[in-house]
Amino acid sequence: MKITIRPENKSDYRTISMVTDMAFGREEEGKLIENLRKNRKFIKDLSLVACMGSEIVGHILFTPILIKHEDKIFNSLALAPVSVIPELQSLGIGSQLIQKGLAKAKKLGHESVIVLGHENYYPRFGFLPASKYRITAPFEVPDNVFMAIELVKNTLQNVHGCVAYPKEFNEV
Ligand SMILES: CC(C)(COP(=O)(O)OP(=O)(O)OC[C@H]1O[C@@H](n2cnc3c(N)ncnc32)[C@H](O)[C@@H]1OP(=O)(O)O)[C@@H](O)C(=O)NCCC(=O)NCCS
């Protein structure tokens, strides 16, 4: 099964929402993507689709976030959401989206990524509990599901604080 991964185009918007809605079985995450697209910090090249032939079967988005500690502010990215259509889940497409997405983010000069997700899934890509880096979530969350990865070695060594998500995350 040949999967290609590429940045989204305008003509993909509707399909991305549909794929996301199907994967999650609800509309909140699709709406989140639509709202984040209107944010001036949205990075089109980090909204990636997985295609089988010309059909979009998966999507991943990385969004700029801040990590704040007193008067210090660090830039990072949030990985959210990632989706694969239900019929094609557990075939490695999600892994390809995450691996290629992380590589692309690094290539664009980003140094770290934060994810809120399954503790058995994301560690295989190198994510560790964010608490290891003294990075906390702005909400109550079990330690092992809030994770971070360094795209550049040791970049989080001197970064700590609380993650600030764009307001769109609170609106869905
Ligand atoms: C999570 C998701 C993107 C993974 O994509 P995928 O192509 O199915 O995943 P892969 O084939 O690369 O990896 C398969 C692994 O993911 C696990 N997995 C599937 N759905 C999962 C989920 N919702 N949460 C955690 N792990 C999941 C499978 O159990 C499998 O684990 P294993 O390798 O230990 O057997 C996809 O299953 C999906 O769209 N799920 C619904 C939406 C969602 O929950 N997104 C993640 C939260 S942002």
Side-chain angles (χ1 to χ4, degrees):
M1 181 179 51
K2 172 98 174 88
I3 297 292
T4 52
I5 294 180
R6 61 160 176 82
E8 69 169 29
N9 294 318
K10 255 192 179 148
S11 59
D12 301 325
Y13 291 178
R14 262 188 58 146
T15 314
I16 290 172
S17 296
M18 280 167 53
V19 164
T20 306
D21 293 350
M22 279 193 275
F24 281 88
R26 58 182 199 183
E27 294 182 356
E28 279 88 340
E29 286 76 10
K31 190 78 196 143
L32 173 63
I33 298 167
E34 289 168 16
N35 291 346
L36 284 168
R37 242 188 229 115
K38 295 177 197 148
N39 187 312
R40 66 184 172 81
K41 292 197 174 157
F42 181 80
I43 306 168
K44 175 194 158 302
D45 283 345
L46 290 179
S47 180
L48 302 172
V49 290
C51 300
M52 213 164 122
S54 61
E55 190 191 348
I56 294 176
V57 296
H59 172 260
I60 192 167
L61 178 63
F62 297 83
T63 298
I65 53 167
L66 300 174
I67 301 170
K68 294 183 177 178
H69 178 68
E70 294 172 353
D71 58 344
K72 292 202 184 79
I73 296 180
F74 308 95
N75 292 297
S76 186
L77 291 172
L79 187 178
V82 53
S83 306
V84 173
I85 57 170
E87 309 90 280
L88 295 178
Q89 285 178 7
S90 292
L91 296 175
I93 300 172
S95 296
Q96 286 192 53
L97 277 166
I98 294 167
Q99 282 160 347
K100 296 236 168 95
L102 293 173
K104 182 92 190 237
K106 182 175 180 179
K107 201 169 163 198
L108 292 176
H110 299 278
E111 295 182 342
S112 64
V113 176
I114 304 289
V115 70
L116 172 62
H118 206 282
E119 76 264 33
N120 293 334
Y121 190 50
Y122 293 95
R124 67 186 71 176
F125 307 106
F127 284 89
L128 295 170
S131 58
K132 179 181 179 295
Y133 301 108
R134 293 184 295 156
I135 295 169
T136 56
F139 38 72
E140 284 284 320
V141 65
D143 188 62
N144 50 357
V145 303
F146 192 66
M147 292 170 262
I149 187 171
E150 292 180 330
L151 301 178
V152 176
K153 203 163 183 266
N154 296 332
T155 198
L156 292 177
Q157 213 162 44
N158 297 313
V159 174
H160 61 279
C162 185
V163 169
Y165 287 94
K167 63 176 182 349
E168 289 81 356
F169 278 84
N170 303 323
E171 290 169 355
V172 288

